[in-house]
Amino acid sequence: MADNKIETTEKSTKQYIVVQIGNEKYGIDIGYIDNIVRMQKITRVPKAQVYFKGIINLRGEIVPVMSIRTKMELEDDVITNKTRIIILKIEDKGLLGVMVDEVCEVVTLSEDDIDTMSSNAKSGKDSFISGIGKKDDTLISLFEINAIIEEKDNN
């Protein structure tokens, strides 16, 4: 009978902060997020990788800030009043700020809402995406945070 349907409610869900970068929507696992702050003055750091914009002082703590746009080889950042810096908590690395054009919403996705990408399909900027989330009629590319924060430069 319908007994086998009960296990579908046991599927795990994850929450993602949905951000806008250019015309695309991306999801960041909420477990990585420490804070979301308004754009502020970023102090440049000489000889840093091109995608690192510099550092900010966040309540007395120095936080490096990077541009996801530059890291993904998209067009340059355009700073507006909607631009935010998302402060990520990275194990063993402390805090890292990433610039996004806009923070849209928080969504909860179940395993069924996410199509994972096979590793051989990941190349270039796609290697920063762990899967595609489906919420209503919207597709959300889910960031693979560890790939984004990786220090090595492929150029």
Side-chain angles (χ1 to χ4, degrees):
M1 289 183 70
D3 289 344
N4 61 358
K5 291 286 184 205
I6 294 171
E7 67 190 42
T8 57
T9 59
E10 300 292 319
K11 295 235 186 265
S12 66
T13 60
K14 266 191 182 174
Q15 286 190 308
Y16 294 87
I17 296 271
V18 178
V19 300
Q20 184 98 17
I21 299 174
N23 296 325
E24 302 290 323
K25 291 200 182 314
Y26 295 91
I28 300 174
D29 185 333
I30 207 163
Y32 287 105
I33 296 177
D34 181 68
N35 204 338
I36 299 173
V37 297
R38 291 186 175 275
M39 196 59 200
Q40 55 187 279
K41 181 174 178 353
I42 297 175
T43 304
R44 300 270 317 141
V45 176
K47 298 189 178 176
Q49 291 96 330
V50 67
Y51 51 84
F52 274 107
K53 293 299 180 189
I55 54 176
I56 59 172
N57 184 341
L58 185 66
R59 294 182 300 279
E61 191 164 354
I62 302 301
V63 179
V65 176
M66 70 178 273
S67 166
I68 291 182
R69 281 177 170 262
T70 306
K71 182 89 181 210
M72 291 174 45
E73 299 174 2
L74 300 172
E75 62 279 356
D76 286 339
D77 292 284
V78 177
I79 309 300
T80 69
N81 61 353
K82 292 182 177 181
T83 301
R84 297 290 183 268
I85 300 172
I86 296 184
I87 308 299
L88 303 174
K89 283 184 303 229
I90 311 298
E91 273 185 45
D92 306 330
K93 290 185 171 58
L95 299 178
L96 171 70
V98 292
M99 290 172 48
V100 299
D101 295 350
E102 183 180 347
V103 174
C104 302
E105 62 181 329
V106 176
V107 297
T108 302
L109 299 175
S110 72
E111 292 172 8
D112 293 339
D113 297 329
I114 300 172
D115 288 340
T116 54
M117 297 181 71
S118 63
S119 55
N120 63 355
K122 296 179 181 182
S123 63
K125 68 181 178 191
D126 294 335
S127 64
F128 301 128
I129 307 300
S130 63
I132 305 295
K134 296 177 290 247
K135 186 70 174 171
D136 302 322
D137 292 335
T138 306
L139 294 179
I140 304 163
S141 300
L142 304 176
F143 276 132
E144 176 61 58
I145 295 298
N146 292 319
I148 290 173
I149 61 166
E150 201 121 307
E151 289 291 327
K152 69 176 192 211
D153 211 347
N154 296 337
N155 295 344

